[in-house]
Amino acid sequence: MSSDLRMLLHALVNPTSNEGYVRDQQTLSELFKEPEFFVALQALAADKSLQQQERLMASVITARELKTKWRSKALVPENRKPEVRERLFSFIEEGDISIARPQLGLLVAIARIEYPKTWQNLPQLLLEPLMMCLAHLDNLSSSSSSTSTILLNTLWTINALVKEWRTVKVSHGALVMQKFEDVFTDPVGRVLAIWAEHERNGQEDLTLAEAGRYSILARLCQWQWSRSKGLQTQEAHQRINHLVHHSVHHAPIIQAHRLRLVTQSNSEKLVRSLTKHLRAIGKWWRVMIGLDPKGFCKIPGVTTGVGWWWGEVGGVVAGSDGAVANDVFTPHFILSAFHLLVDKLLPLTSTDLEALEDEPEEWLVGESFDEEAWAFEFRPCAERVLIALNNACRNVPKEHKTRADRIAAPASDLPSILRREAVYCALGRLSRSVATYGGVDFNGLLTEIASWIGNGQPFADEDAAKLPIVWQMLLHLLSERSEATDKAVQLSATIAIKECVDWKNSATLDGKRYVNDAIGVVIERVGDQILPYLPKLAQSVPVLWHSAGGLEGEWLFKASLVVLTTKLVSAAKATSGDLMELVIPLIEESLQPPAKDFFEDDGLILWQTALWNAASPYQPTKETGLIRLIPGLLSMLGENMDLLPKLLPLLDSYLLLDASGITQAYGEAITSTFAKALTTSKPNAEAVSRILVTVSLLIRTAPLAQLAPLLLHSGIFQHITTALEDDKASGLILAAYLEILSRIAILDPRIFLQLVAESARMQNRDGQKLLDEVLDALWRNFDYVGETRMRKAVAMGAGALLTTVMNIFLDVLGEVQVAQDDPNSIETGLRPWQDEHSAQWSDIQYTPEGKRRVTFEDSDPAYSIPLKGYIVQILHQAHSVGLGPFWDKADEGTKRSLEKFLS
């Protein structure tokens, strides 16, 4: 194949005709299916006797295809994989980056699959060339071009590996990253130290400038910094401190060197390398501060570094020398920084003003939705800095604070103020910040704006957002129609106030969507006061929905209407039944193509919110209420396992609303769907566990006499009794099975025994033997049951069945105790449902479902009935259900211990 493949590559690179080229391309594509083709093609990529373009084609194709075909044994036989991996390291010596980097990228992709299972020596294979290069770095005059190539390619590969693995959250990923850190930190740190020494001495070397960038160390430190505090070692913190110190010390040196070279010819590559290094420092600082601002700012030198960065910005923009005092956040510094921001960086440019004048709505939407603009544009970045400075201003003496006299317009002349560019910038941020009710950005900007309009008193806390003058100002902005205002200002103001929102003022769907978001914020903030406006808002949604059809941005706008409707339902709470004729069609459309491709998740959230806040699934009628969506829900549950975490909570909410009616109407479909889901999800323990949570809730809420035949005929009961014998099953799943069986036994032990007997008959088994197996599994797997309430439920189920599991009684009686003087009190060790499910409770705490759930869980026998009294009761009732023989067979010592405990 080798010689033929050489000829094919040559023909493709040097085509003689279009027909021949098409024919050769087809031949090459067909070879992709041949075993060992990619092994041969990679060998040609490494063959330096071929033309550069031929090797490049071989390298690119090999790298691209093997990334996806590596797992295919038919295309890459197992016995050839070591050869491919070994050859990848030959490309570390490849001087042509365009040929080398695809193969080194392939090395990283294969490592993601093979390391450390079948490629344990990978770190050592990369460490060896790195250490060889380090031996030459101290004497650059003796270093060859091959040394430079090996050094740069090796560091590039290590950096790519660290970048690939740092986001792997499972424990396996943490072990790999720890290994990379242990192996590479010291040698890469030595490279950085050698570069730093040469940079301080003014020695210019492009190889060292490229190799000395500290992305590898930065990523390793970032990985450690992102871990939980308990996993961060003292050694890791020392490395982070060292890299911060390096940054603070060398950033000025890099910048000075870069500025010297800018005007020199033949220095473009070195300038580019130094610029990359400087950006890498800034990027690392940004990420570290984002992960833990307070912790990072406590590291020695960080404050000095911030001052230097600010000084450089100030030097460029304001034309000063950029000098900043050592104690950076002094009153003088803050005030001068404020002037620099407001006078130089925040004002709109002539281009901005033209766009604002011509298309105010489009300009505003573009400004507001570009969330990352601050990272590469001066003005949004300056806005963020202004927000931070406000925080620092809180302790500045009053006499140093800026005053309204900096603005050459009377405070009462709002139209004149609005025309001032700086005020407009602040207003834009203000209107977007009102929703936070006094967060950091709101405080700082509101202080200045309020002073400008005549209040004169700075706002001290978040109550400032409720001051009448703020709302008076916003009302003015909305109602003003003179030449001194414009549509962008009106749109900004609508975000903060409900009374004056008017969709007709927006001409584009982006503008209308912007207003939708604003109204949603208002609805959340004003609470019950929005209720009188809900009917009018709801009536507007269908009109807007249908008018958006076919326009550019239709689906994003419709998604915003779904989100807005969700806010309306949340505000309406128990009266939300009146909104169902709006809500149900939106949910249905959001789950059908093409809408589902754009806002399926939003539709599911609307559905869940409607259920949380519903008083009944039949409002306003059975045909138009939430009950009509159940068939679609069951269909989705049976077909889309990926959506189980979102679909099952919907069914939970339906059961809490009316389990009896829903079981009567849809019980057979529900149980058959669960049976199918349990079988389909068997390899996924997490999915099975979540299904069983809903099965348990179904048993607790639905009439058992009605439900029991459905559990039997669907196969769910048999599935559980059979699965209890699986020794390899997850402990959490076994615990869930025990709870389900115990809940049935607590509710009615006779029905439980009937289910066992009927299940045995359907399987042609002996009923007594099956019962013995179930009871034995109850005893054998009890230690998997972790939660106190669940353990108590299993104990109560065991008590209801009076098996040979008397020790379960003793275990749980030791865990749950009642006060001696109040036998009716809740036992210690048990916690209210909302304490055990804090995340779920936070979603429904203030909804009607929250009340339903608490009432239901507080009446749970496993929570409300004292276990001691329950055991006494069921011991007296044992013979009535035919379980006396099991008590007679119980261990005598256990029975005596139990009787003593109960006395």
Side-chain angles (χ1 to χ4, degrees):
M1 178 187 287
S2 178
S3 59
D4 292 341
L5 191 53
R6 279 174 174 263
M7 294 175 62
L8 180 60
L9 282 177
H10 182 79
L12 284 167
V13 170
N14 305 282
T16 56
S17 67
N18 185 60
E19 294 80 4
Y21 181 76
V22 172
R23 184 180 61 252
D24 293 336
Q25 280 278 24
Q26 182 62 32
T27 301
L28 182 68
S29 299
E30 292 173 355
L31 287 173
F32 283 12
K33 303 173 185 178
E34 294 292 327
E36 303 191 14
F37 164 70
F38 294 111
V39 179
L41 189 63
Q42 186 200 39
L44 293 181
D47 188 345
K48 296 187 177 181
S49 66
L50 270 66
Q51 295 179 13
Q52 189 271 349
Q53 288 181 312
E54 294 170 359
R55 296 180 62 211
L56 177 60
M57 177 178 287
S59 177
V60 170
I61 293 174
T62 307
R64 183 188 65 206
E65 297 298 326
L66 278 185
K67 286 179 181 179
T68 58
K69 295 179 172 62
W70 181 256
R71 296 181 188 272
S72 173
K73 295 180 181 179
L75 298 178
V76 190
E78 289 292 333
N79 63 323
R80 303 303 299 273
K81 286 185 176 181
E83 177 185 342
V84 174
R85 294 200 307 245
E86 182 178 353
R87 188 179 291 120
L88 287 170
F89 283 91
S90 68
F91 289 93
I92 286 179
E93 301 178 8
E94 174 60 55
D96 189 328
I97 291 178
S98 62
I99 295 173
R101 294 294 162 84
Q103 293 296 306
L104 297 178
L106 175 61
L107 185 156
V108 173
I110 293 175
R112 185 69 175 81
I113 300 170
E114 301 284 351
Y115 179 75
K117 291 183 294 185
T118 59
W119 206 1
Q120 295 90 341
N121 65 337
L122 172 63
Q124 189 62 34
L125 290 174
L126 288 169
L127 183 63
E128 289 172 0
L130 180 58
M131 297 303 294
M132 182 272 291
C133 293
L134 275 170
H136 294 276
L137 282 182
D138 286 325
N139 185 6
L140 290 179
S141 60
S142 65
S143 298
S144 63
S145 59
S146 63
T147 302
S148 301
T149 296
I150 293 171
L151 176 64
L152 293 178
N153 284 338
T154 302
L155 288 174
W156 185 93
T157 308
I158 294 171
N159 186 53
L161 279 170
V162 172
K163 186 177 181 180
E164 175 73 18
W165 280 92
R166 65 177 176 167
T167 56
V168 179
K169 298 299 183 184
V170 295
S171 57
H172 175 57
L175 292 174
V176 170
M177 282 296 292
Q178 191 63 62
K179 180 67 174 179
F180 288 164
E181 186 178 60
D182 294 341
V183 172
F184 298 126
T185 295
D186 287 344
V188 172
R190 286 176 57 191
V191 175
L192 185 63
I194 294 171
W195 165 85
E197 182 180 352
H198 282 76
E199 189 69 17
R200 286 193 301 270
N201 296 333
Q203 296 172 266
E204 296 178 0
D205 183 271
L206 183 58
T207 298
L208 270 181
E210 285 289 302
R213 292 207 303 274
Y214 69 1
S215 296
I216 298 172
L217 296 178
R219 289 195 170 99
L220 290 172
C221 289
Q222 178 185 332
W223 171 73
Q224 284 284 4
W225 194 246
S226 66
R227 304 178 78 188
S228 62
K229 294 295 186 289
L231 297 176
Q232 295 177 2
T233 64
Q234 183 62 34
E235 184 180 12
H237 278 276
Q238 290 174 353
R239 289 171 175 168
I240 293 171
N241 288 6
H242 176 76
L243 198 57
V244 168
H245 176 77
H246 171 92
S247 304
V248 174
H249 184 73
H250 286 92
I253 296 175
I254 297 171
Q255 173 69 341
H257 190 184
R258 189 181 72 87
L259 293 177
R260 284 196 303 272
L261 293 174
V262 166
T263 57
Q264 297 181 14
S265 58
N266 303 321
S267 299
E268 183 179 349
K269 290 184 178 180
L270 187 55
V271 170
R272 188 184 306 120
S273 182
L274 293 172
T275 302
K276 287 180 181 178
H277 196 148
L278 201 60
R279 286 176 177 170
I281 295 175
K283 185 176 180 180
W284 182 64
W285 277 53
R286 172 187 164 190
V287 171
M288 297 290 280
I289 291 174
L291 290 171
D292 183 3
K294 292 183 179 179
F296 192 68
C297 290
K298 290 179 182 178
I299 297 176
V302 167
T303 303
T304 302
V306 170
W308 179 80
W309 285 103
W310 177 257
E312 289 301 301
V313 173
V316 171
V317 178
S320 67
D321 61 1
V324 178
N326 290 332
D327 184 7
V328 177
F329 293 109
T330 63
H332 173 73
F333 171 77
I334 293 171
L335 192 58
S336 62
F338 185 91
H339 279 291
L340 175 62
L341 290 166
V342 173
D343 297 340
K344 298 290 185 180
L345 296 177
L346 282 179
L348 304 180
T349 65
S350 57
T351 303
D352 292 325
L353 290 172
E354 289 176 6
L356 179 60
E357 196 73 30
D358 296 340
E359 300 289 347
E361 188 174 325
E362 288 80 354
W363 182 87
L364 179 67
V365 171
E367 283 277 299
S368 303
F369 283 100
D370 191 352
E371 296 180 356
E372 292 298 315
W374 70 270
F376 49 83
E377 294 287 348
F378 268 121
R379 191 172 70 254
C381 182
E383 290 173 350
R384 284 203 170 197
V385 175
L386 183 61
I387 291 166
L389 282 174
N390 164 73
N391 212 21
C393 273
R394 291 180 177 178
N395 299 319
V396 175
K398 192 172 182 179
E399 60 270 16
H400 290 297
K401 291 195 174 183
T402 52
R403 292 290 184 180
D405 56 7
R406 289 189 296 104
I407 297 188
S412 59
D413 188 3
L414 283 174
S416 298
I417 294 177
L418 291 175
R419 297 308 296 171
R420 293 298 301 246
E421 297 168 2
V423 180
Y424 179 80
C425 294
L427 177 62
R429 294 303 301 173
L430 167 65
S431 62
R432 278 170 261 163
S433 306
V434 169
T436 66
Y437 267 9
V440 172
D441 53 353
F442 182 82
N443 280 343
L445 297 170
L446 198 56
T447 298
E448 294 300 313
I449 294 292
S451 297
W452 291 332
I453 65 175
N455 186 45
Q457 297 296 324
F459 297 104
D461 53 42
E462 60 191 31
D463 290 337
K466 302 174 184 178
L467 290 176
I469 193 167
V470 178
W471 301 99
Q472 292 167 11
M473 179 192 69
L474 294 171
L475 278 169
H476 175 87
L477 296 176
L478 283 164
S479 59
E480 176 65 26
R481 295 294 184 270
S482 70
E483 294 182 358
T485 189
D486 55 39
K487 192 176 294 184
V489 175
Q490 295 160 15
L491 284 174
S492 295
T494 61
I495 301 172
I497 192 167
K498 71 181 189 304
E499 288 88 349
C500 298
V501 169
D502 183 355
W503 273 300
K504 296 177 183 179
N505 276 349
S506 301
T508 66
L509 289 186
D510 280 342
K512 294 178 189 291
R513 182 160 56 94
Y514 194 85
V515 175
N516 285 349
D517 296 341
I519 297 173
V521 172
V522 171
I523 291 171
E524 288 182 327
R525 291 297 179 265
V526 301
D528 293 344
Q529 297 177 47
I530 197 66
L531 291 177
Y533 303 92
L534 289 184
K536 184 176 181 181
L537 290 169
Q539 292 166 10
S540 302
V541 172
V543 177
L544 291 165
W545 184 279
H546 294 300
S547 66
L551 299 179
E552 184 179 355
E554 170 189 358
W555 298 110
L556 287 176
F557 176 64
K558 287 184 174 179
S560 75
L561 287 175
V562 174
V563 173
L564 177 63
T565 305
T566 303
K567 302 288 179 62
L568 296 176
V569 172
S570 297
K573 291 188 169 57
T575 64
S576 59
D578 297 335
L579 300 173
M580 288 305 106
E581 293 184 4
L582 164 66
V583 169
I584 303 299
L586 292 186
I587 295 173
E588 290 175 330
E589 182 158 353
S590 69
L591 302 178
Q592 300 295 326
K596 69 176 297 182
D597 296 330
F598 296 91
F599 48 85
E600 181 182 47
D601 284 347
D602 294 323
L604 291 173
I605 292 171
L606 173 58
W607 193 351
Q608 183 66 80
T609 304
L611 286 165
W612 284 343
N613 290 280
S616 165
Y618 310 106
Q619 290 181 343
T621 67
K622 287 186 177 181
E623 291 73 26
T624 58
L626 287 163
I627 194 70
R628 102 177 192 195
L629 296 175
I630 281 192
L633 172 60
L634 297 177
S635 176
M636 292 171 68
L637 275 170
E639 297 171 358
N640 196 333
M641 295 296 105
D642 293 336
L643 283 178
L644 277 180
K646 296 177 180 178
L647 299 178
L648 287 170
L650 297 173
L651 188 53
D652 292 348
S653 294
Y654 276 111
L655 294 175
L656 289 171
L657 278 165
D658 181 21
S660 177
I662 288 170
T663 304
Q664 183 176 356
Y666 301 102
E668 186 175 349
I670 290 173
T671 51
S672 62
T673 297
F674 280 153
K676 178 181 178 181
L678 285 170
T679 302
T680 307
S681 303
K682 188 175 181 180
N684 187 336
E686 186 176 349
V688 172
S689 295
R690 183 59 187 84
I691 293 168
L692 294 177
V693 169
T694 301
V695 172
S696 177
L697 182 64
L698 175 64
I699 290 169
R700 293 170 59 194
T701 54
L704 187 58
Q706 185 182 29
L707 181 63
L710 300 175
L711 294 174
L712 198 63
H713 296 147
S714 66
I716 291 176
F717 191 82
Q718 296 91 313
H719 173 92
I720 293 175
T721 56
T722 302
L724 283 173
E725 300 302 315
D726 184 0
D727 295 333
K728 297 180 181 179
S730 160
L732 290 175
I733 292 177
L734 290 172
Y737 289 148
L738 295 190
E739 190 207 14
I740 289 171
L741 295 178
S742 299
R743 291 290 183 182
I744 297 173
I746 293 171
L747 290 168
D748 194 326
R750 289 185 179 85
I751 289 181
F752 179 90
L753 295 173
Q754 290 169 6
L755 284 169
V756 173
E758 184 64 18
S759 178
R761 186 190 65 78
M762 294 172 68
Q763 300 176 66
N764 295 318
R765 297 188 58 189
D766 178 77
Q768 188 61 46
K769 185 175 181 182
L770 179 59
L771 179 60
D772 286 342
E773 288 179 0
V774 171
L775 298 176
D776 178 66
L778 191 71
W779 163 254
R780 188 176 65 250
N781 297 310
F782 179 68
D783 285 343
Y784 288 123
V785 185
E787 295 180 5
T788 301
R789 186 188 294 214
M790 187 183 288
R791 287 171 68 82
K792 182 180 173 183
V794 174
M796 294 175 75
L801 297 172
L802 263 186
T803 70
T804 57
V805 290
M806 297 301 114
N807 282 326
I808 290 180
F809 292 156
L810 296 176
D811 285 347
V812 181
L813 282 168
E815 297 173 21
V816 294
Q817 296 292 325
V818 298
Q820 295 297 320
D821 57 346
D822 185 6
N824 295 317
S825 64
I826 297 298
E827 295 143 314
T828 59
L830 290 174
R831 297 193 300 159
W833 177 90
Q834 53 268 41
D835 291 350
E836 293 179 331
H837 302 81
S838 56
Q840 191 175 345
W841 175 242
S842 66
D843 289 332
I844 64 173
Q845 182 175 0
Y846 301 109
T847 68
E849 177 160 319
K851 297 176 182 178
R852 285 193 290 272
R853 175 65 83 163
V854 169
T855 301
F856 172 70
E857 297 293 351
D858 285 353
S859 63
D860 179 9
Y863 180 72
S864 60
I865 298 177
L867 181 60
K868 185 174 180 179
Y870 177 80
I871 294 173
V872 171
Q873 177 187 346
I874 55 96
L875 286 175
H876 288 108
Q877 295 175 347
H879 292 281
S880 66
V881 293
L883 290 172
F886 286 99
W887 173 257
D888 295 337
K889 292 191 299 183
D891 177 73
E892 289 298 327
T894 301
K895 287 198 291 186
R896 284 195 299 270
S897 298
L898 182 61
E899 289 167 346
K900 182 179 178 180
F901 200 100
L902 296 174
S903 62

